[in-house]
Amino acid sequence: MTQYKRLETTFLGVKFENPVMLSSSPVSNTGEMVGRSFDAGFGGVVFKTIGAGKEKIIHPGPRMAGYDYHADRLVGLQNVEQISDRPMADNLADLAYLKKNWPTKVVVSSIMGFTKQEWRDLAKASEDAGADMLELNFSCPHMTVEGSGMKVSHAQALVGEFTAEVKNATGLPVLAKLTPNITDITETARFAKEGGADGLTAINTVQALSGIGLDDLTPRPNVAGKGAMSGYSGPAVKPIGLRCISQLAQAGDLGLPLSGCGGIETWIDAIEYLLVGSGTLQITTGVIHYGYRIIEDILEGMDFYLADRGVDSLDDIVGKALPNIVPTDQFDLTSQGVADYDLDRCVGCGQCHIVCHDAAGQCLGWDETQRRPVMHEDKCLGCMICSFVCPVASPPMIQYRVVPGKPEILPPVSR
Amino acid sequence: MEPGLTMNQALAEASRCLLCHDAPCAAGCPASTAPDLFIRKLRFRNLKGAAKVIKERNIMGGVCAVVCPTCSLCAQGCTAAGLDEPIAIGALQRFIVEHAWNIGFNPLEAGEPNGHRVAIVGSGPAGLACAADLAKAGYSAVIFEKQAAAGGMLQYGIPNHRLSREFLERELEDVRALGVKFRLDTAVESQADLDRLGADGFEAVFVATGAWHCATLNVAHRDGSGLVDGLTFLMEAKEDKDELRAGLTGKEVLVVGGGDTAMDAAVTAKRAGARDVSIVYRRSFVEMPGSPGEKRLAMDDGVHFVILTQPVDYVITDGKVTGARVVRTRLGDPDASGRRRPENLPDTEHTIAADLIIEAIGLEPAPTIRHLDALTIGDGERIQVNEDMRASADLPIYAGGDAVRGASIVAKAVRDGKAAAAAIRRDLEGELKKELGR
């Protein structure tokens, strides 16, 4: 397994060979599985969430459903998975097994209590088992008991109270894992900080309904005739994850290290999460889709990117995009432009003409003889939707071109 | 037949389609099957709508999907070729048609009966297309077929590896479901037969008897052993595979010709166990009129291509053909077809031995077509028609398909059948209006 010097980092005082961990989910369910992920290259694990065992955990069947776009599989993943259904003792034994056999890897214990006592007990037990860190699951969207999972985040004060219990019970660094299913994720984060959290993880899954069966009139997954508004993950939620991490990173009063997750599949996704302020990263759906082997290209790709930019440590790029993320009223509106066509490369499908006509400025005519679009630049809004549908996309034959002094374009009144 | 696409394969292929503003594929289909529309409907998961587009426009939509040389028709202008390769339009069409069959969806309905009766001679794709369109408009359409089974060349001339009988039978069901009647084993091949149709109350006749007569290099030995024409060979192969296999195992076979019949015969002979099958063709590979897909299939099956080689006669031993005398050729200037003319090279004559020679050097309408006195027969025994498919100035007789074009493709036969149905409707319903107005 290749070691990447540039990818080493320290997060919440714990040393990481690389910042990419399995997130708490089916992919981190057992010691044997996680061991193989370490061998494949993952830098750490947030182990499948451990409960106190008072409630018997039974996973619904089936527990997941894929969301496809046309022929692309698993653009998103819907799940009604519960926390670990294994005996607490087995999970703790596996934590110890991992630390014993992979001492350089970081083992984070994800815990979920229903009472303050349970939170304390779980934290202490995890510490005794050798965990390097704790992650408090305040965000599972499938919990129905008040004061558990995502409902902790909704009753915001509990976030602080439970975090404080854990902090008092152990000396381990503590991450609070937050839900995006809330108006302002930074508010929950402030309660976590008040309770003493050392860092934050975001996002847990987005509460969603990814599909309704047209024959059975039931959401997916169909669990014996019923479905639930439940957790949605994968590439489809990456934009929401990036937004939440950016909000947490830009909230000046927080200042907590962040562990980013939500739809990471390639090194590009990983770098994006770093650029908006994540210090470490977590992955589940990518592994559910492709297996642990995806870590190879994530790490190698990140290392090539850093090398290409002459950066010696990933720490140097964390948050580097944040100054460029602004409210819309800070845009320079004097800069305007148009869609610039390289017609030599056009194949003549006319999709640009159709969408400009129906969804933009009607600036693209159509030459029926040549089968090519005809640009009337004086009507081009510069919205670029034509470039989104153009099949000549690598590199794009339609590019944005700034036009200094471009006059304002206002469509005339219809008559 | 090779298996068709799965749902996911079809959706993936449809998602490659550029959904052109002015789809060139649509202009490329002789049968106006509208690939631009059915692919878009597939893309947006309207599979029933897609099947409706195909079957309403082309009753032989399934057959066309599997036998049509799409690369020279719809797929030829495909814009996606500018990026990588043309969309597999035939494969998508087949998927949609078979999907509709699988879910029991039939978009076609017979029209309210209007009392008109039309006779159709020949149950190939032209006759079927004409009958289907008339039935949809409320006509009583009766197809007279000389052979024991319906389908014409589709039934007898296209080998099972390209079009299975089960597949054709399923498509024929769609025609029967419209109420079209079939009179099998019933030839209409004399003027007296035609006159009788009029006496039986048929107000119009569509003649679509196809092109079933095979050219030969040696008329004298046509019926001798060791020599068979391509169509007869394919018909026999379609009937009894075991007998064919017994006769061909370990044998040397020569196929003379370069069209699809030659490719079909060569592949069929090879798959039936012939040791070596050689296609002998007087021009070069690119001039062969066979469609690229069929040529490719023959190559993949290990058929030999003996090009630039002209058979001049057969070797006959004890009344049996035992080989071909051939000369080498080179290509000269283009002829009327635009292809370069083969010129025999001197002192190159030699003999290729063979246990069986299959002649596939061209099909045309049978000379018996001349028995229909009302028709005008032109070059290549082809029936002359005007732009409305009308084959007689005085009588309501129409013609189309291979009987008019000479051997051609299914999509063009379908086009003719549709055009004839439209012309018949114009003529008969125009008269009906006149009668009502009186």
Side-chain angles (χ1 to χ4, degrees):
Chain A
M1 191 187 71
T2 316
Q3 297 292 334
Y4 298 98
K5 192 82 191 146
R6 293 184 190 85
L7 301 186
E8 289 174 4
T9 190
T10 300
F11 184 77
L12 272 52
V14 178
K15 205 168 157 348
F16 282 73
E17 286 176 2
N18 70 65
V20 188
M21 295 186 278
L22 294 175
S23 44
S24 171
S25 75
V27 305
S28 55
N29 198 43
T30 73
E32 185 275 336
M33 291 169 71
V34 174
R36 283 189 284 111
S37 83
F38 287 165
D39 289 340
F42 278 89
V45 61
V46 184
F47 205 77
K48 174 84 178 164
T49 301
I50 304 171
K54 299 257 167 59
E55 304 262 345
K56 173 73 180 159
I57 302 295
I58 298 173
H59 290 298
R63 59 185 82 170
M64 293 185 223
Y67 182 76
D68 302 340
Y69 180 72
H70 292 300
D72 282 343
R73 314 297 307 277
L74 274 187
V75 171
L77 178 71
Q78 185 91 35
N79 85 85
V80 288
E81 175 92 9
Q82 308 288 304
I83 62 171
S84 178
D85 54 1
R86 306 168 76 208
M88 184 163 73
D90 291 6
N91 285 321
L92 295 172
D94 271 356
L95 295 181
Y97 161 83
L98 289 170
K99 273 320 285 183
K100 177 170 175 246
N101 292 288
W102 289 269
T104 61
K105 303 289 185 178
V106 177
V107 174
V108 182
S109 179
S110 171
I111 56 175
M112 180 192 285
F114 292 133
T115 63
K116 289 181 178 178
Q117 183 62 48
E118 285 185 10
W119 282 104
R120 278 198 303 275
D121 292 347
L122 286 163
K124 196 80 191 66
S126 297
E127 185 173 27
D128 292 346
D132 299 297
M133 203 181 285
L134 297 173
E135 185 178 270
L136 314 185
N137 186 339
F138 295 146
S139 47
C140 172
H142 317 140
M143 304 307 296
T144 51
V145 180
E146 288 304 324
S148 73
M150 181 174 78
K151 290 174 185 289
V152 178
S153 290
H154 291 168
Q156 294 180 333
L158 282 181
V159 171
E161 290 174 27
F162 289 154
T163 306
E165 288 296 327
V166 168
K167 284 300 288 182
N168 288 335
T170 81
L172 292 179
V174 169
L175 283 164
K177 185 166 183 179
L178 306 180
T179 177
N181 307 312
I182 192 162
T183 308
D184 181 355
I185 196 168
T186 64
E187 298 218 350
T188 329
R190 284 186 187 92
F191 282 96
K193 186 181 182 184
E194 266 181 40
D198 302 285
L200 305 167
T201 301
I203 54 175
N204 204 318
T205 51
V206 178
Q207 194 175 30
L209 279 175
S210 60
I212 307 291
L214 298 190
D215 296 327
D216 55 27
L217 316 185
T218 302
R220 297 293 180 250
N222 176 337
V223 182
K226 302 289 179 193
M229 288 175 263
S230 55
Y232 186 59
S233 62
V237 310
K238 186 183 83 171
I240 299 168
L242 286 175
R243 183 262 291 178
C244 289
I245 290 290
S246 302
Q247 286 177 317
L248 294 169
Q250 286 190 333
D253 55 326
L254 279 175
L256 290 180
L258 304 171
S259 189
C261 52
I264 298 175
E265 210 172 82
T266 69
W267 65 269
I268 298 170
D269 306 322
I271 294 287
E272 287 177 306
Y273 267 97
L274 295 177
L275 289 172
V276 298
S278 307
T280 56
L281 307 168
Q282 301 183 23
I283 300 179
T284 280
T285 312
V287 171
I288 287 179
H289 197 163
Y290 301 105
Y292 296 135
R293 59 192 171 161
I294 63 166
I295 189 62
E296 296 165 24
D297 297 300
I298 291 172
L299 297 181
E300 192 175 18
M302 288 168 78
D303 191 59
F304 276 128
Y305 174 84
L306 295 177
D308 288 347
R309 297 191 65 96
V311 174
D312 293 331
S313 165
L314 73 84
D315 297 338
D316 294 341
I317 66 160
V318 170
K320 279 289 186 282
L322 292 171
N324 300 327
I325 302 172
V326 298
T328 55
D329 63 2
Q330 291 180 33
F331 289 157
D332 174 6
L333 299 179
T334 63
S335 174
Q336 298 287 343
V338 295
D340 199 26
Y341 279 64
D342 175 7
L343 282 180
D344 288 344
R345 298 176 57 220
C346 177
V347 295
C349 69
Q351 292 184 86
C352 54
H353 163 72
I354 293 171
V355 300
C356 182
H357 204 65
D358 291 355
Q362 297 85 50
C363 76
L364 285 176
W366 182 250
D367 179 338
E368 288 180 11
T369 320
Q370 299 294 316
R371 303 194 65 242
R372 291 293 181 270
V374 181
M375 166 62 97
H376 301 289
E377 222 171 81
D378 58 330
K379 291 202 279 184
C380 178
L381 307 177
C383 69
M384 300 308 289
I385 60 168
C386 53
S387 71
F388 309 153
V389 298
C390 177
V392 186
S394 67
M397 63 156 260
I398 309 174
Q399 309 230 28
Y400 187 72
R401 173 165 50 85
V402 173
V403 178
K406 184 187 175 197
E408 191 178 5
I409 295 169
L410 292 176
V413 173
S414 308
R415 19 180 125 248
Chain B
M1 283 170 73
E2 297 290 319
L5 300 180
T6 64
M7 174 77 83
N8 275 358
Q9 287 170 329
L11 292 173
E13 186 62 10
S15 72
R16 280 205 316 120
C17 175
L18 302 181
L19 307 176
C20 291
H21 173 56
D22 59 346
C25 56
C29 178
S32 304
T33 314
D36 57 330
L37 284 183
F38 70 68
I39 295 175
R40 192 167 84 209
K41 285 171 186 293
L42 173 61
R43 168 76 162 269
F44 295 114
R45 301 295 286 264
N46 178 6
L47 278 85
K48 283 187 172 180
K52 189 160 179 262
V53 163
I54 295 170
K55 292 296 286 194
E56 276 185 350
R57 288 155 176 268
N58 184 350
I59 187 73
M60 291 287 102
V63 168
C64 276
V66 297
V67 304
C68 204
T70 52
C71 57
S72 60
L73 298 167
C74 52
Q76 187 170 47
C78 179
T79 311
L83 296 172
D84 39 44
E85 57 188 53
I87 303 302
I89 298 173
L92 293 180
Q93 184 173 325
R94 175 180 170 184
F95 168 79
I96 293 163
V97 170
E98 288 196 298
H99 174 78
W101 288 342
N102 292 339
I103 64 171
F105 173 67
N106 181 359
L108 305 180
E109 274 183 44
E112 192 65 30
N114 63 10
H116 286 301
R117 296 184 75 204
V118 174
I120 289 133
V121 185
S123 66
L128 293 166
C130 181
D133 268 10
L134 290 174
K136 285 189 283 181
Y139 284 66
S140 162
V142 181
I143 297 180
F144 295 85
E145 170 56 55
K146 183 173 155 182
Q147 304 282 354
M153 209 50 97
L154 309 176
Q155 178 73 245
Y156 293 102
I158 300 182
N160 289 320
H161 66 260
R162 285 177 61 202
L163 175 64
S164 72
R165 284 214 156 132
E166 295 71 32
F167 191 96
L168 173 62
E169 195 48 43
R170 183 60 191 81
E171 190 126 73
L172 288 171
E173 259 179 53
D174 290 344
V175 182
R176 291 194 197 97
L178 287 167
V180 172
K181 297 285 180 283
F182 290 79
R183 303 268 182 275
L184 302 175
D185 290 314
T186 308
V188 175
E189 46 191 1
S190 69
Q191 189 58 43
D193 292 340
L194 264 189
D195 294 344
R196 202 171 305 124
L197 291 177
D200 287 348
F202 289 103
E203 300 157 274
V205 180
F206 178 56
V207 178
T209 42
W212 292 70
H213 182 70
C214 300
T216 179
L217 291 172
N218 189 327
V219 179
H221 285 279
R222 162 119 277 180
D223 301 320
S225 69
L227 179 66
V228 65
D229 70 79
L231 188 53
T232 303
F233 175 77
L234 289 173
M235 288 174 78
E236 286 169 2
K238 199 101 177 172
E239 287 309 320
D240 196 332
K241 265 191 243 164
D242 293 340
E243 195 175 310
L244 184 76
R245 191 162 282 126
L248 283 176
T249 301
K251 297 288 170 63
E252 299 282 338
V253 176
L254 282 194
V255 178
V256 181
D260 280 342
T261 304
M263 302 305 143
D264 285 345
V267 170
T268 301
K270 185 74 181 161
R271 292 187 179 184
R275 190 165 68 123
D276 284 288
V277 178
S278 304
I279 287 175
V280 180
Y281 183 62
R282 58 193 176 143
R283 302 187 227 227
S284 78
F285 190 76
V286 292
E287 281 90 15
M288 284 185 170
S291 59
E294 302 315 309
K295 285 154 77 174
R296 177 65 194 266
L297 184 64
M299 277 199 292
D300 289 349
D301 269 24
V303 169
H304 311 308
F305 283 72
V306 183
I307 57 169
L308 295 169
T309 301
Q310 166 91 59
V312 289
D313 202 356
Y314 301 121
V315 180
I316 294 138
T317 312
D318 298 333
K320 182 185 183 314
V321 172
T322 55
R325 285 197 291 119
V326 300
V327 292
R328 296 302 313 269
T329 65
R330 61 168 198 167
L331 296 181
D333 293 329
D335 62 13
S337 75
R339 295 176 299 167
R340 293 174 67 191
R341 188 191 308 275
E343 296 170 355
N344 292 356
L345 292 172
D347 305 323
T348 59
E349 185 171 318
H350 59 287
T351 298
I352 305 176
D355 299 302
L356 176 68
I357 295 183
I358 302 171
E359 286 186 317
I361 53 177
L363 290 166
E364 59 184 31
T368 49
I369 196 79
R370 291 183 180 273
H371 298 162
L372 305 178
D373 300 333
L375 307 179
T376 308
I377 308 299
D379 286 349
E381 305 298 303
R382 297 197 286 266
I383 303 173
Q384 309 276 292
V385 295
N386 73 5
E387 66 273 14
D388 282 331
M389 315 306 291
R390 190 82 182 245
S392 162
D394 314 318
L395 301 169
I397 302 177
Y398 307 75
D402 287 0
V404 166
R405 297 172 176 275
S408 184
I409 61 171
V410 178
K412 288 185 179 172
V414 169
R415 189 219 79 91
D416 288 355
K418 289 167 66 178
I424 290 167
R425 290 191 59 192
R426 267 198 308 278
D427 292 350
L428 294 188
E429 291 171 39
E431 276 182 18
L432 181 69
K433 273 184 212 145
K434 261 185 274 163
E435 273 178 70
L436 291 171
R438 221 183 288 155

